[in-house]
Amino acid sequence: MTEAAELPPAPEQAREVFGDRFADAVRYAELLAEAGVQRGLIGPREVPRLWERHLLNCAVLSEAVPEGVTVCDVGSGAGLPGIPLALVREDLNITLLEPLLRRTNFLTEVVELLGLDHVTVVRGRAEEVLGKLPPVHVVTARAVAPLDRLATWGIPLLRPYGEMLALKGDTAEEELKAAATALSKLGAVATSILHVGEGVVDPLSTVVRVEVGESPGGVRFAAKRAKAARTSRARRRR
């Protein structure tokens, strides 16, 4: 296997972005280039551009995340954007939510190896953990699904007045328009497109922000969440 040899040196911007956690960011990049490729979590063609396209692209999402909040990274995969975000923001309490076992095994190994005590790995789909995980301030996602479908998974996990931050590419504006009706039904009260990473990544990372009101997911999901919470309490009493 030669994939690891293709990993380029970390760019200077990475030292600035990751700061005291730079060595951990390098180790994470090495794990992605080695175990990540071997286990089919990322393609070998992604290795030469791991830093710019993946680690830094995700790390700059931190510019949009408030201080000291809870975060759920939906469909975390190989840990993007959750792991880079955790490396630059130790003030956050982050849950990496991923349904596939081989991916959650990898995520657990990374979290333990890098000593990310503020990160929890949970295996499951968003619709399965609804009412079982505490609602969060922020839901993040990258390359999971089109915005309308992603919103049906992510928004119900939010606490009232939370927000979903989805890393998107050139289709961000188009997806936002297409999802307008669905977002409204899910309790969204405001949407915007942010560009983050000035001086770090080129092009800038594009983030779709969806802010919700007092009923994340709308009436239907409020009832579903309440039912799941009652079931969970009943099981604990047994």
Side-chain angles (χ1 to χ4, degrees):
M1 301 289 288
T2 59
E3 288 85 354
E6 299 174 7
L7 179 66
E12 197 58 38
Q13 296 96 315
R15 292 184 178 275
E16 300 171 11
V17 170
F18 291 104
D20 294 341
R21 284 284 196 170
F22 172 70
D24 290 326
V26 171
R27 185 66 187 118
Y28 176 51
E30 292 170 347
L31 289 167
L32 287 174
E34 297 163 4
V37 171
Q38 292 164 10
R39 301 186 196 182
L41 304 183
I42 66 166
R45 293 184 180 180
E46 295 303 311
V47 174
R49 50 186 186 178
L50 268 179
W51 283 106
E52 287 81 2
R53 185 180 174 88
H54 297 288
L55 274 75
L56 289 173
N57 178 271
C58 290
V60 296
L61 178 62
S62 64
E63 296 177 22
V65 180
E67 289 186 17
V69 298
T70 52
V71 178
C72 183
D73 188 31
V74 173
S76 195
L80 301 166
I83 297 292
L85 184 61
L87 287 170
V88 298
R89 293 288 300 277
E90 295 190 33
D91 61 301
L92 304 176
N93 188 328
I94 301 177
T95 297
L96 306 180
L97 181 62
E98 168 57 45
L100 295 184
L101 180 61
R102 62 188 171 90
R103 293 176 179 170
T104 54
N105 285 343
F106 176 78
L107 292 173
T108 299
E109 291 167 16
V110 171
V111 167
E112 291 177 356
L113 184 66
L114 302 185
L116 298 174
D117 298 333
H118 58 305
V119 177
T120 303
V121 178
V122 174
R123 184 186 176 197
R125 300 181 185 279
E127 57 269 34
E128 295 170 346
V129 301
L130 185 64
K132 300 175 184 177
L133 291 181
V136 296
H137 297 90
V138 177
V139 162
T140 59
R142 177 180 188 256
V144 173
L147 187 62
D148 55 351
R149 201 185 327 155
L150 173 63
T152 65
W153 300 334
I155 287 180
L157 299 177
L158 290 169
R159 58 188 292 168
Y161 307 104
E163 59 186 352
M164 183 175 74
L165 299 173
L167 277 162
K168 291 288 183 178
D170 298 336
T171 63
E173 191 169 339
E174 181 182 326
E175 285 192 50
L176 192 52
K177 288 180 181 177
T181 300
L183 292 175
S184 179
K185 290 180 179 179
L186 287 166
V189 296
T191 61
S192 55
I193 295 177
L194 313 176
H195 298 284
V196 296
E198 183 73 44
V200 178
V201 291
D202 184 17
L204 298 179
S205 296
T206 301
V207 181
V208 174
R209 170 183 272 158
V210 179
E211 300 170 70
V212 299
E214 62 182 16
S215 298
V219 176
R220 181 166 64 92
F221 281 100
K224 187 175 180 180
R225 189 161 42 233
K227 181 180 179 181
R230 287 196 299 272
T231 301
S232 179
R233 287 194 297 271
R235 285 174 180 167
R236 285 198 298 268
R237 285 196 294 266
R238 289 175 186 170

